[in-house]
Short mmCIF file of all heavy atoms in Angstrom, two decimals:
data_model
loop_
_atom_site.label_atom_id
_atom_site.label_comp_id
_atom_site.label_asym_id
_atom_site.label_seq_id
_atom_site.Cartn_x
_atom_site.Cartn_y
_atom_site.Cartn_z
N HIS X 406 -4.23 2.03 15.53
CA HIS X 406 -5.23 2.32 14.51
C HIS X 406 -6.33 1.26 14.58
O HIS X 406 -6.03 0.08 14.81
CB HIS X 406 -4.62 2.32 13.10
CG HIS X 406 -3.69 3.46 12.85
ND1 HIS X 406 -2.45 3.56 13.45
CD2 HIS X 406 -3.82 4.56 12.05
CE1 HIS X 406 -1.85 4.66 13.04
NE2 HIS X 406 -2.65 5.29 12.19
N GLN X 407 -7.55 1.69 14.38
CA GLN X 407 -8.68 0.78 14.31
C GLN X 407 -9.45 1.07 13.02
O GLN X 407 -9.81 2.22 12.74
CB GLN X 407 -9.61 0.93 15.51
CG GLN X 407 -10.77 -0.08 15.50
CD GLN X 407 -11.53 -0.10 16.80
OE1 GLN X 407 -11.11 0.49 17.78
NE2 GLN X 407 -12.66 -0.78 16.82
N ILE X 408 -9.68 0.02 12.24
CA ILE X 408 -10.37 0.15 10.96
C ILE X 408 -11.84 -0.21 11.18
O ILE X 408 -12.16 -1.32 11.61
CB ILE X 408 -9.73 -0.75 9.90
CG1 ILE X 408 -8.25 -0.37 9.72
CG2 ILE X 408 -10.45 -0.64 8.57
CD1 ILE X 408 -7.50 -1.25 8.76
N VAL X 409 -12.70 0.73 10.90
CA VAL X 409 -14.15 0.56 11.09
C VAL X 409 -14.83 0.87 9.77
O VAL X 409 -14.32 1.63 8.95
CB VAL X 409 -14.68 1.46 12.22
CG1 VAL X 409 -14.08 1.07 13.55
CG2 VAL X 409 -14.40 2.92 11.92
N ASP X 410 -16.02 0.30 9.60
CA ASP X 410 -16.77 0.49 8.36
C ASP X 410 -18.26 0.62 8.66
O ASP X 410 -19.08 0.02 7.98
CB ASP X 410 -16.51 -0.67 7.39
CG ASP X 410 -16.93 -0.31 5.97
OD1 ASP X 410 -17.15 0.88 5.72
OD2 ASP X 410 -17.04 -1.22 5.13
N ARG X 411 -18.59 1.38 9.67
CA ARG X 411 -19.98 1.64 10.00
C ARG X 411 -20.15 3.12 10.30
O ARG X 411 -19.22 3.76 10.79
CB ARG X 411 -20.44 0.80 11.20
CG ARG X 411 -19.41 0.64 12.27
CD ARG X 411 -19.87 -0.32 13.35
NE ARG X 411 -18.75 -1.02 13.94
CZ ARG X 411 -18.78 -1.56 15.15
NH1 ARG X 411 -19.85 -1.46 15.89
NH2 ARG X 411 -17.73 -2.21 15.62
N PRO X 412 -21.30 3.68 10.02
CA PRO X 412 -21.48 5.13 10.23
C PRO X 412 -21.53 5.46 11.71
O PRO X 412 -21.85 4.63 12.56
CB PRO X 412 -22.82 5.42 9.54
CG PRO X 412 -23.55 4.12 9.57
CD PRO X 412 -22.50 3.04 9.45
N ALA X 413 -21.21 6.71 12.01
CA ALA X 413 -21.27 7.19 13.38
C ALA X 413 -22.72 7.40 13.78
O ALA X 413 -23.43 8.23 13.19
CB ALA X 413 -20.49 8.49 13.51
N LEU X 414 -23.21 6.62 14.72
CA LEU X 414 -24.61 6.67 15.13
C LEU X 414 -24.81 7.78 16.16
O LEU X 414 -23.92 8.05 16.98
CB LEU X 414 -25.04 5.33 15.72
CG LEU X 414 -24.92 4.12 14.78
CD1 LEU X 414 -25.29 2.85 15.52
CD2 LEU X 414 -25.79 4.29 13.55
N PRO X 415 -25.98 8.42 16.14
CA PRO X 415 -26.26 9.41 17.19
C PRO X 415 -26.41 8.75 18.55
O PRO X 415 -26.74 7.57 18.66
CB PRO X 415 -27.57 10.06 16.72
CG PRO X 415 -28.19 9.05 15.81
CD PRO X 415 -27.06 8.32 15.16
N SER X 416 -26.14 9.50 19.57
CA SER X 416 -26.18 8.95 20.93
C SER X 416 -27.58 8.50 21.32
O SER X 416 -27.74 7.62 22.18
CB SER X 416 -25.66 9.99 21.92
OG SER X 416 -26.44 11.17 21.85
N GLU X 417 -28.63 9.08 20.70
CA GLU X 417 -29.98 8.70 21.09
C GLU X 417 -30.31 7.28 20.66
O GLU X 417 -31.12 6.59 21.28
CB GLU X 417 -31.01 9.67 20.47
CG GLU X 417 -30.92 11.09 21.00
CD GLU X 417 -29.82 11.88 20.31
OE1 GLU X 417 -29.24 11.33 19.36
OE2 GLU X 417 -29.53 13.01 20.75
N SER X 418 -29.68 6.82 19.52
CA SER X 418 -30.00 5.48 19.01
C SER X 418 -29.23 4.38 19.70
O SER X 418 -29.51 3.20 19.48
CB SER X 418 -29.70 5.43 17.52
OG SER X 418 -28.32 5.66 17.28
N LEU X 419 -28.26 4.70 20.57
CA LEU X 419 -27.47 3.69 21.25
C LEU X 419 -28.15 3.29 22.55
O LEU X 419 -28.85 4.10 23.18
CB LEU X 419 -26.07 4.23 21.54
CG LEU X 419 -25.22 4.60 20.31
CD1 LEU X 419 -23.93 5.24 20.74
CD2 LEU X 419 -24.96 3.37 19.47
N PRO X 420 -27.97 2.05 22.99
CA PRO X 420 -28.59 1.62 24.24
C PRO X 420 -27.96 2.32 25.44
O PRO X 420 -26.83 2.81 25.39
CB PRO X 420 -28.31 0.11 24.27
CG PRO X 420 -27.12 -0.07 23.40
CD PRO X 420 -27.24 0.97 22.32
N GLN X 421 -28.72 2.36 26.50
CA GLN X 421 -28.27 3.04 27.70
C GLN X 421 -27.17 2.23 28.39
O GLN X 421 -27.19 1.01 28.42
CB GLN X 421 -29.44 3.23 28.67
CG GLN X 421 -30.53 4.14 28.12
CD GLN X 421 -30.04 5.56 27.94
OE1 GLN X 421 -29.17 6.02 28.69
NE2 GLN X 421 -30.60 6.26 26.95
N VAL X 422 -26.19 2.96 28.94
CA VAL X 422 -25.08 2.33 29.66
C VAL X 422 -25.20 2.71 31.13
O VAL X 422 -25.41 3.89 31.45
CB VAL X 422 -23.73 2.79 29.09
CG1 VAL X 422 -22.59 2.22 29.89
CG2 VAL X 422 -23.61 2.38 27.64
N PRO X 423 -25.11 1.75 32.04
CA PRO X 423 -25.22 2.11 33.46
C PRO X 423 -24.07 2.99 33.90
O PRO X 423 -22.97 2.96 33.34
CB PRO X 423 -25.17 0.74 34.16
CG PRO X 423 -24.51 -0.16 33.18
CD PRO X 423 -24.92 0.32 31.81
N ASP X 424 -24.34 3.81 34.89
CA ASP X 424 -23.32 4.73 35.40
C ASP X 424 -22.19 3.96 36.07
O ASP X 424 -22.36 2.84 36.57
CB ASP X 424 -23.93 5.71 36.40
CG ASP X 424 -24.97 6.61 35.72
OD1 ASP X 424 -24.84 6.78 34.48
OD2 ASP X 424 -25.88 7.09 36.41
N VAL X 425 -21.04 4.60 36.12
CA VAL X 425 -19.88 3.96 36.74
C VAL X 425 -20.10 3.78 38.23
O VAL X 425 -19.70 2.78 38.83
CB VAL X 425 -18.62 4.80 36.46
CG1 VAL X 425 -17.40 4.16 37.11
CG2 VAL X 425 -18.40 4.95 34.96
N ALA X 426 -20.77 4.74 38.86
CA ALA X 426 -20.99 4.63 40.31
C ALA X 426 -21.85 3.44 40.65
O ALA X 426 -21.61 2.71 41.61
CB ALA X 426 -21.63 5.93 40.83
N GLU X 427 -22.89 3.18 39.84
CA GLU X 427 -23.77 2.05 40.10
C GLU X 427 -23.03 0.74 39.95
O GLU X 427 -23.19 -0.19 40.74
CB GLU X 427 -24.96 2.10 39.15
CG GLU X 427 -25.86 3.32 39.38
CD GLU X 427 -27.02 3.32 38.41
OE1 GLU X 427 -27.08 2.38 37.60
OE2 GLU X 427 -27.84 4.25 38.45
N THR X 428 -22.18 0.64 38.92
CA THR X 428 -21.44 -0.62 38.71
C THR X 428 -20.44 -0.85 39.82
O THR X 428 -20.20 -1.99 40.23
CB THR X 428 -20.72 -0.57 37.36
OG1 THR X 428 -19.88 0.59 37.34
CG2 THR X 428 -21.72 -0.49 36.23
N GLU X 429 -19.84 0.25 40.35
CA GLU X 429 -18.87 0.06 41.44
C GLU X 429 -19.57 -0.35 42.73
O GLU X 429 -19.05 -1.16 43.49
CB GLU X 429 -18.10 1.37 41.65
CG GLU X 429 -17.12 1.67 40.52
CD GLU X 429 -16.41 3.00 40.75
OE1 GLU X 429 -16.78 3.69 41.73
OE2 GLU X 429 -15.51 3.32 39.96
#
Side-chain angles (χ1 to χ4, degrees):
H406 291 70
Q407 183 169 350
I408 301 177
V409 296
D410 197 14
R411 38 186 149 157
L414 300 177
S416 59
E417 294 81 7
S418 62
L419 298 174
Q421 296 294 330
V422 176
D424 296 336
V425 179
E427 295 180 0
T428 57
E429 289 178 354

